[in-house]
Amino acid sequence: MAFDAHKIREDFPILSYRAEGGPLVYFDNAASAQKPAAVIDCEADFYRSKYSNIHRSAHELSRKATVAFEAARKTVGEFFGAPEGYSTVFTRGSTESLNIVAFCYGGKFLKAGDEIILSQMEHHANIVPWQEVARRTGAAIRVADILPDGSLDMDSLRSLVSARTKIISICHASNVLGTVNDIAEISKIARSSGALFNVDCAQSAPHCLDDLRAADCDFISVSAHKCFGPGGVGALIGRTGILNSMDIWMGGGDMIESVSWGGTTYRTAPEKFEAGTPNIAGAAAFARALEYLKSLDLEGAKLHEAALLKRLSEGIGQIRGLRILGVAERKTPIVSFACEGVHPNDISTMLDASGIAVRSGHHCAEPLMDRLGVKGSCRASLAFYNTIEEVDFFIEKLKKAIHFLRF
Ligand code: PLP
């Protein structure tokens, strides 16, 4: 049976929300995806029936919460294909995961003369921590370029790799261009130079799971909220041996083995990086979101998203004056576009008046905006619950908005 987006929409209560401008057309999924009732109920039920702090108390609720939290860890690790020898650390999301790698690995092991390779299409979360680590350690950042279609310039990447390269840290999918990078190939490049490979999977996590199984990554970062799960929780999945060799992230409860005035010893990963009380119900709801995804026809969802992306790209491509940023062959369902002489916020404000939610601005990727020669863009980002009718409605409203704003 064909994938039925209309039916799937019934799982997501907010999709029947009526915005001031009309029925909600939610095209801001790359910023944060909406949540199915299963996830909302899971989190609410957690607080109703099993909430307590974890790992610490001998009472029944604490046992229940601990079991659920650890079961969630297993679900998350398995979903993202973490093989034997990897640990799943719960974090606040991709930003925190990327910061842990930069500060706890880079901060400890990098030194002057070492190089960190990033790319032109990185989100600030995979730039700023490295800039700070470079400043503190004396290591240098090298930036792999992009090609005119928005794909990663693999020759540029290869030309930067040398014995000085200590880590390659690159997004799996760009949050602006939609480009899906060939992480299997990049992992080979990293291996050939003895560098570590850190992958920002914030955008790819819900879309391209198979790639993760094919690539040899040292770390991957994910955010639950982009995978139809709750906010404020995510994961860093990394090689246990490397995680154990790294500096601690935060000190506090739960991450120690013993504390005395003479000194403190730490637990191993994952707990080593989980000081303090985590988002316990959020972790359970994150796992529930992944279970929900597993219950779907994911192949059908992928084909549906590809059909939506094609229709959206063709529609936007036909509007005079619009420039699509990123037309790589392999993309997540994102179309960013700029219009000369028109501020992207004006476009999104006009779309909002029709109930359409898109993102406008620099998308936390200012270096990429500079590289593309634009100040900002509008971004329509889709999910499997979006429909062809919504795409057509969007194109109709976008045409009118551009016509109004340009002439
Ligand atoms: N990396 C990429 C590519 C992203 O798109 C985002 C968020 O949009 C992040 C990292 C940061 O994710 P979060 O805000 O969930 O920590």
Side-chain angles (χ1 to χ4, degrees):
M1 208 171 67
F3 182 82
D4 186 351
H6 290 96
K7 184 97 192 77
I8 292 285
R9 290 175 73 80
E10 293 169 9
D11 295 344
F12 291 79
I14 207 166
L15 295 181
S16 52
Y17 176 83
R18 216 190 137 79
E20 279 173 26
L24 173 70
V25 174
Y26 190 74
F27 281 6
D28 198 17
N29 295 285
S32 203
Q34 296 297 353
K35 324 300 171 199
V39 168
I40 300 167
D41 293 347
C42 172
E43 187 151 350
D45 177 61
F46 200 97
Y47 287 115
R48 285 205 180 90
S49 66
K50 45 177 112 50
Y51 184 74
S52 169
N53 213 329
I54 51 166
H55 296 152
R56 294 170 197 200
S57 315
H59 59 77
E60 181 176 326
L61 277 184
S62 182
R63 276 197 303 278
K64 268 189 159 179
T66 303
V67 166
F69 187 76
E70 292 305 326
R73 191 194 300 285
K74 189 160 177 286
T75 302
V76 172
E78 281 173 4
F79 186 86
F80 293 109
E84 189 72 15
Y86 281 68
S87 296
T88 301
V89 178
F90 278 119
T91 63
R92 286 191 298 131
S94 300
T95 299
E96 186 173 40
S97 303
L98 291 161
N99 272 267
I100 291 174
V101 177
F103 286 99
C104 305
Y105 174 80
K108 180 166 180 186
F109 294 113
L110 296 182
K111 54 185 189 321
D114 290 342
E115 291 182 355
I116 305 152
I117 298 184
L118 308 178
S119 86
Q120 285 286 6
M121 65 173 89
E122 299 311 313
H123 186 281
H124 294 167
N126 193 32
I127 298 175
V128 182
W130 293 112
Q131 287 180 323
E132 188 53 28
V133 166
R135 188 185 68 75
R136 293 182 195 183
T137 62
I141 293 176
R142 311 292 304 274
V143 185
D145 206 358
I146 53 171
L147 294 170
D149 70 352
S151 57
L152 184 65
D153 183 342
M154 296 297 279
D155 291 336
S156 162
L157 175 66
R158 282 192 192 90
S159 75
L160 297 178
V161 175
S162 73
R164 290 185 298 277
T165 310
K166 291 295 174 289
I167 188 158
I168 299 180
S169 184
I170 276 180
C171 62
H172 187 181
S174 158
N175 65 314
V176 176
L177 307 164
T179 307
V180 178
N181 289 318
D182 184 349
I183 55 169
E185 184 57 27
I186 303 171
S187 72
K188 283 187 202 146
I189 296 172
R191 290 293 160 251
S192 71
S193 68
L196 294 191
F197 186 35
N198 179 38
V199 192
D200 173 1
C201 293
Q203 287 298 327
S204 61
H207 300 286
C208 352
L209 291 167
D210 294 344
D211 291 21
L212 285 173
R213 289 175 177 85
D216 181 14
C217 314
D218 293 299
F219 307 100
I220 71 160
S221 298
V222 293
S223 297
H225 71 99
K226 298 200 199 271
C227 303
F228 312 93
V233 61
L236 169 65
I237 299 175
R239 265 184 220 281
T240 309
I242 301 176
L243 288 168
N244 285 338
S245 73
M246 287 159 47
D247 273 340
I248 63 162
W249 174 231
M250 291 193 297
D254 235 20
M255 52 77 74
I256 53 89
E257 217 162 54
S258 79
V259 180
S260 74
W261 294 123
T264 293
T265 55
Y266 305 122
R267 294 175 75 183
T268 49
E271 289 85 2
K272 174 179 175 178
F273 298 98
E274 293 178 349
T277 302
N279 183 353
I280 304 162
F286 182 12
R288 185 67 190 87
L290 303 180
E291 298 285 4
Y292 171 80
L293 286 176
K294 278 199 282 185
S295 76
L296 300 180
D297 165 14
L298 283 180
E299 269 316 300
K302 214 190 271 180
L303 291 175
H304 173 67
E305 284 180 352
L308 294 178
L309 176 63
K310 184 165 183 291
R311 183 91 144 215
L312 182 65
S313 306
E314 284 170 0
I316 294 177
Q318 278 165 10
I319 301 175
R320 212 148 53 89
L322 294 190
R323 171 186 166 201
I324 294 182
L325 309 176
V327 290
E329 209 171 295
R330 198 154 168 237
K331 284 184 62 167
T332 55
I334 283 179
V335 184
S336 295
F337 53 92
C339 181
E340 185 140 359
V342 178
H343 199 288
N345 287 355
D346 291 339
I347 303 174
S348 60
T349 303
M350 284 200 69
L351 294 171
D352 179 53
S354 300
I356 299 168
V358 295
R359 174 108 189 253
S360 53
H362 55 59
H363 312 292
C364 300
E366 287 192 59
L368 177 60
M369 295 293 127
D370 289 344
R371 174 67 184 79
L372 296 169
V374 294
K375 288 250 172 298
S377 75
C378 267
R379 179 186 69 188
S381 55
L382 309 173
F384 51 74
Y385 46 57
N386 291 125
T387 64
I388 287 285
E389 293 82 357
E390 286 182 314
V391 171
D392 291 347
F393 179 72
F394 168 84
I395 296 293
E396 179 198 322
K397 294 296 172 188
L398 179 62
K399 256 186 212 155
K400 286 195 178 132
I402 298 297
H403 186 81
F404 178 83
L405 291 165
R406 285 190 77 207
F407 304 106

